[in-house]
Every structure is written in C-alpha cells, then in structure tokens.
Amino acid sequence: MKLTLKIWRQKGADKKGQLESYNVEASEHMSFLEMMDVLNEELISKKEEPVAFEHDCREGICGTCNLVIDGRPHGPQQGTTTCQLHMRHFKDGDTITVEPWRAKAFPVIKDLVVDRSSFDRIIQAGGYVSVNTGQAPDGNAIPIEKDEALSAFDAAACIGCGACVAACPNGSAMLFTSAKVAHLGKLPQGQVEHAARSKSMVDQMDAEGFGNCSNTGACEVECPKEISINNIAMLNRSYLSSIFGSNK
Amino acid sequence: MAGIELKSNVPAGELKQKWSDFKGTMNLVAPNNKRRIEVIVVGTGLAGASAAATLGELGYQVKAFTFHDSPRRAHSIAAQGGINAAKNYQNDGDSIYRLFYDTIKGGDYRSREANVYRLAEVSADIIDQCVAQGVPFAREYGGLLANRSFGGVQVSRTFYARGQTGQQLLIGAYQALSRQISTGQVSMYNRHEMLDLVKIDGKARGIITRNLLTGKLEKHAAHCVVLATGGYGNVFYLSTNAMGSNVSAAWRGVRRGALMANPCFTQIHPTCIPVSGEYQSKLTLMSESLRNDGRVWVPKSKEDAIAIREGRKKGNDIAEEDRDYYLERRYPAFGNLVPRDVASRAAKVACDAGNGVAPTGLAVFLDFASAIERYGKAAAHSKNINNPSKAEITKLGKAVVEGKYGNLFEMYEKITGENPYENPMKIYPAVHYTMGGLWVDYNLQTNVPGLFALGEANFSDHGANRLGASALMQGLADGYFVIPYTIGQFLSKEIRTPKISADAPEFAAAEKDVQDRLNQLMSIKGNQSVESFHRRLGKIMWEYCGMSRNAEGLKKGRQMIRELREEFYKDVFIPGDANEFNPELEKATKVADFLELGEVMMCDALDRNESCGGHFREEYKSEEGEAQRNDKDFTYVSAWEWNETQPVLHKEELAFKNVELKTRSYK
Ligand SMILES: Cc1cc2nc3c(=O)[nH]c(=O)nc-3n(C[C@H](O)[C@H](O)[C@H](O)COP(=O)(O)OP(=O)(O)OC[C@H]3O[C@@H](n4cnc5c(N)ncnc54)[C@H](O)[C@@H]3O)c2cc1C
Ligand code: SF4
Ligand code: FES
C-alpha cells in the first residue's frame, strides 16, 4: 500500500516545528511502527535525518510509544497502543497525519518525542505503599475479595503513556493520577495512606502544570488500557476527604 | 589475565544452612557508615529497581541509572505469565527443596547449587513483599492468592496477575523506588546510558554515562557499581525482548576485565507468534501459561500441512486422527508442559520434517478447542444446566478461557488478524532469554571487586535452561533479598574509603575512551544503516548459534561475524551528531558491542562439546534425538575474557553434592 505521511518535525525543545510530507510504501501486515521503521530506513539511505519517535516493548505494555495519529492519541483503534496498531486498518492511498502528544506538562524533545517525567514526579509524590523490604506479613494474611482485587487490577493496568493527557482539552492528568490512587486505595495494603496520597498526588499534578478536569471524558475514550473515568470520581472523594479531615 | 581463579565464595556448611549462617555471620555496615557510602545501580528493571529501593531503605546513598525515560519502562514490564515461589499454598507437595531441585534439573545441571537453593529459600518472601506493596495478584473466591503451573514442573507454584505479571511487579518495585527518590535517598538519572565502567586500583568505582537528551558525557563515582541491565537476546535481532534491550553495560564491564559466563546459553521460547516478513522488528511471546490449556500439534501428513500453508485448508478442517499431538506423544509424563528447550526443539523437528503450518512452513498449532469444551462442560455443570447444547458449552468454555487468557488472545488477534477462539493459534519458537551473563560469585560480585551483577545480566541460577516464571523470581530475589546483604561483604571493608571523586584521572581517561569511540563511529560516514548490520548479525546468530548448532557452522558463523564487524567499522552510517539526542548513535554503540558478544557466543558454543538445556549440538544427541550431556568433561561454568584475536576461556568447576546428576527425562 502507498501512503502519504504528514509528520511533525521539530529539531529541539526550543525550535519551531512543522508538518512535513513523506511517501512510504508499506504492507498491511506491518505494525504502524514498522511502517515508520521503513520510512526511517529510507531517510537514512538518503542520508537524511530519520524521524525521532519513541517505542520499546512494541507489544502494548511499556507505555513508551506515543503518536497522535490523525488527531487521535494512539490512532483510530479502541483500546490499542500505537505499537499494536496494524496497517491493515488503513487503506492504500491514505494520507496519515502523525504528531506528538501535545500538552504543557509534556514538552517536545524532538520530532515526536516528548518529556513525560512529570508522571514520575506524580508517583513520587505518594503513589506507593510505605513498606520497607522485609517488613511484609505473609501474602495470605489478609484475604482480599476476588472482585476487589480485580477492580484494583483494572486501575493498575495503566501503562503511564499519557494519552489521557494528550486527549484532554485541558491537558489534565486526572485519569492517570486517579488510576494510581484507585489501584492502591482499593487494596487493604494501600488504604492506610489513601487520603493523604490523594492530596499529595493531586497537588503535584497541579504543580507540574497539568490542567483541571472538566469531565469531558475524552481521556477514557483514548486510553489504550480502557481505564475507567469512575476512578476520577473516587479520587475526587478521597481528595475532598483529605481536605476536610475525615479519614476515608 | 591468564589464570584467573574463579572463586565461588560459597559459604561452608550444609546446603540448607548456608544462607542463614551467612546472614548471621556476615560483615555488617553500621548505619552511620551506610550514610557515607555511595552505590551506583545501573538498570531499573525488576532487579535494579528492587535493589536501588532496598539499598536506599537501608541508608546507602544510591544513584540509579536507566536509558529509559522512566524506570517503569524497563523490559521487565513485558513479562506475562507469572512468578514462582515455594509457598506450597496449594498443598500439592511443593517445598524449598523441590523448587531448588526443579530449577537445577530444569537447568540441566549447569548451575551452582548454593545459589539456586538460596533463590528457592527467599522466593516466598518475594510474594509477601509484593503483596504488601499492593501488587494485585490473582485471587481465588475465598480471597487467597491463586496459582497456576508452568512448564517443567509438576506442582502449581506460579503467582500471576492476569497476563501482566511483570508489569505489576515492576510497578511495585518502581513505586518502592519512587518512594526512595522522594526522600532523596536515591538520585534517579533517567535517559542516561552507561557507556563505560571506571576502575581505580582494580576496583569498580564509577561509570561514564551519556545524557541521551543532550549527548553530554558525564562521570559518576561511587564506592561500588551494581549492574542490573538485563539480557542480551537482541544479539539475534529478532527476539521477544524490548527493542532497547542490549548487552552494552555488561559488555563494557567485560572490556574492563569482568568475565562473560556461559554466553551461548540462550533460551528459545516455544510459543511466540511466527515471523511474517523481512520488515519485522521484533517477535511477540504468547505466554507459556497457554500451554496449561493449549495442545500443540501439526498435521500428520505433509499434504495436509501444505494445504494449510497454501490456505486451502484450516486447522479445524483436519480430523482428530490426522493430527500429531507430538508433545503428548513423545513426552507422555509432561505432555504439553515439557520445559521450553524441549518444546522448542520438538517444534523445529516437526517443521524441519515438512509438517509446519504457516506460509513460511515455520509454525505449529496451539489449540484451545479441547480446553474450551472441558471448561464449558464444567461451567454448565456448576450452573446446573442439564444436557447443554454444543453451542452452549462452547460459549461457556470460551468465557472461561477468556477470563484466563483474554489479553493474550486479544494481543494475538491484533497482531495476526486471526481469531484464536475460533482457529488454533500458530506459534513458533523465538529467542527469549539469555541464561548467560556476567560471571558472579555467591555474593553476586563479578571477578572485578566492587562490580556486582543482578537479574538477567548475571549468568545466574538457571544453568543451561530457565524454567518459566523463574526470571522474575530471580530478579527480585537478587534485588530485594540477596544484594542488600551480600554487598556488605565488599562495603564493610570500604567504610574508611572517603567519597570517591569523579575528578580522579581514571575517570578522565575512561571518558576520553568513550569520546574516542563515539567520534570513531560518527566519523565512518559510510552507506549502510545500523539497523541493517543488526539484522544481518541476527541472521548469522540464528542460523549458526540458534536452536541447534554444530562445530562446522559455529566456526563459519564466527568468521562471518568477524567480517561483518570489519564491514561495520568501515561502512556504517550514523546521521546527526554525537552532541544531541541521537537514537541512531545509541543503536550503533549497542550493535558494536553485540558484534563482539556474538563472536564470544560462537566460541562458547563451539567449546561445549555436549548438548545441555538450550544448547543443542547436533553431534551430541541420543538415538531418539534427545540432548546428550557430558558431565565428565563439561560440568563447568565457562567464563570468557574478551580478546580481539581469540577470546580466552576460564572455568569454574561445578560440584553437585545434594542432587544426583541424571539424564533429564520428561517422558
Ligand atoms: C515477553 C517476555 C515475557 C516474559 N515473561 C516472563 C514471565 O512470565 N516470568 C518470568 O519469570 N520471566 C519472564 N520473562 C523474563 C523476564 O521478564 C526478564 O528476564 C526480567 O524481567 C529481566 O529483568 P532485569 O531487571 O534483569 O532486566 P530489565 O527489565 O531488562 O531491565 C534492564 C534495565 O537496565 C537498563 N539498562 C540497560 N542497559 C543500560 C545502560 N547501558 N545504561 C543505563 N541503563 C541500562 C534499562 O533501562 C532497564 O532499566 C519474560 C521476558 C519476555 C521478553
Ligand atoms: S490512564 Fe490510560 S491513557 Fe492515561 S497514562 Fe494510563 S494507560 Fe495511558
Ligand atoms: S512500545 Fe511499549 S507500549 Fe508501545
């Protein structure tokens, strides 16, 4: 299949960027990133600078890949990361626009690569259980209801990709933050610090320059792990209780 | 370095007592001294993150490095199936000894008894620790932890979190690390790649890194250096490893005098999605847990196989009696759950005989139809549905299978465009894990004092073949429960050593070496991309040092690698320049190191005139085609010293006092 790609090229953080056009010949069995590899190999063979984009596991779990494809973070397929998207979802002759995540808290580094270290700092602000190695009781000491464990897992499935932020008109990181708060808060081990954690993580999120949540729901639609927006409601409750002093 | 003596430093005493005696008598570092001691940890996957977090908790000043943009991205995140622990929660006869024995036997008697026993001993603590961190392991209806079984064992001791166990464990370790970062106990350097090791007076005292955003070289000093930089399966280009996995940190250690142990021991995983074309950048694993319920088969007749390859028939068109469930046939005791090396070779045998099923001829079926039916009937029974129809059974059965493997099936469908609930999956073996790695003693210290190696980066506890769900266990054992103690053996002698200064001349010299190396690569300005060299190297490795090997091929392969290396240094093209964010340059330094490692792997495979575990030499097999070990001559760990003309072999003899060396049989 013959494709036209319009790709965001930007030399560096402080440089201006623009869309540039490329033609590429791909096969429908390729993944989207393999198609990008083909383009880059071609650019290199012409001694031109390849397009910088990030990826690692290429199987939808590390959260590194992050392309806005035709205006949608991770492209058109529901519940799919960029690296899992295959060319069979496109047609011969298509023009595809490829851009980086765009958000104040995710500055562009080069081309399609952005800096998402703000997410790490949100986790550092309390996204953990304070337990030192060696202090743990037996794993079966506290039974956890199967459904509770599953619902904690659903929240824990977040891969930290940032598509929720890229999708949000306000550039809010509420879905990401709430997923962590819900993951830990739904488990007895994480309950103790639940309210305090909610507050410190939200405060850090604000400090990083992420926007406010206005319940547009765009994050949930684009999240490749289908993290539920209900987590945001849970976070709002625990955040408020942390401010007004009740414990749970 | 002729005549390096490889001292395992295994403590004396009974196997069962060694570790507790060691902990009771080892040298300690007092808290006030820990505060002054700096430790560098390179790599923040399961092994590195758990080590950095725990060392931080203990009070050491830790500096942690990763080339990733965040510790949470490490390759460990991709582990699917689970993590072993000798908890015996299922009351099915598991014990520390049994896990120890299974691991030794599974590794074909090529690992160190004392290390493996310790691993089995601490395995239970890992689960407790992870639960306390909030790792959402799968649970039973009663709220207790669930288990599944994995290849090569007859008990159920694998803990899992859907098909995302590695992700959940890594996030647990990442959170523990984040907590230490927030207290300032650990300084985290993301997007920093280690490009050299710095030694002062023979001891590892620091590293040279490149800031990947700016290209700037930096000098980092500490009292000791811990490498937890993962495995080198990507020397084969196509593997299940993440794209960025590489050998460079370990290899730079080797270039500074550390030894590479058992480098040819590579694990080829039997259940991966087959290669579909030249453009392919990586291979995707379908978790081994699928073999709990999937049955592996190929058509008995070549005609049927050809019809399937040409698209004239589908797997479901082949009648039951025309299928060869070759694992069940050849290995009735373990059936589809034979260890990985055995399952992989059996798939190769079936395909080499012409019975493979993908267009390339390189694939076998993994079929869930029986499991769907079995689970469907059970579900109907428990729902009190009398005389359920076939459609009802299938529907119920599919739901059960979806509950167990839903995300894997989804992944398969995304990649292949085929629905595995309706048609059997197609799978083929792929490079997955490297048992080889830096040689370490009982303390996980390499032969370079002050240089430690953890996780997949060391040659570890898996001998010639790793059992499923044991890498996560080993990585976390090393990081949470072993290194925090054993590092004290070295550091307790360093409490009077003042802060190491990065201004020492050794740092400047190492930095210059790195700068020269980068300049050299940038100045070649040839015509071929880094990727193209990597791909060619991978083909040589797979052809001559892959699932089966022979002396002639290994010699040829070695020569081809040497030629490829020469060509690389004449004709590689790297765009951009060294003082900026430059992913192509990053790839180039990695491929340059792979081009040396690959040669050593060939040498190692050639030296080992026996078949054991993942190392299958065609010259050494039984009449039935099974691997034939040679315990008399090869019960040793090979440890290689790099030398451009001829790598030098050193040996650590292995002594087995607690298990009897037997022919590994899964029949
Ligand atoms: C698809 C897949 C599924 C698997 N499933 C299972 C399973 O179910 N059960 C199981 O037990 N095992 C499994 N394994 C194996 C297991 O995941 C790995 O062996 C294990 O996670 C390795 O952990 P690690 O901490 O040693 O290394 P990694 O997780 O690879 O981490 C390496 C770290 O080192 C850093 N690094 C590397 N080089 C440098 C450098 N030069 N400078 C700075 N940083 C560097 C990286 O950034 C990273 O942080 C699986 C493997 C694969 C490929
Ligand atoms: S919530 Fe979803 S979109 Fe946001 S970071 Fe997590 S996985 Fe990505
Ligand atoms: S590359 Fe890992 S999620 Fe896409």
Side-chain angles (χ1 to χ4, degrees), chain B residues 50 106-107 111 113 188 235 300 309 329 431 450 462 501 592 657:
Chain B
S50 58
S111 46
E113 275 189 346
M188 187 67 227
V235 66
K300 276 186 186 157
R309 273 181 287 205
R329 171 173 59 78
V431 172
H462 310 292
S501 163
K657 300 211 178 93

Side-chain angles (χ1 to χ4, degrees), chain B residues 324-345:
Chain B
D324 179 12
Y325 294 93
Y326 58 84
L327 289 178
E328 296 169 25
R329 171 173 59 78
R330 289 178 59 183
Y331 307 100
F334 281 71
N336 293 296
L337 284 175
V338 291
R340 294 176 173 175
D341 53 337
V342 177
S344 290
R345 271 198 300 280

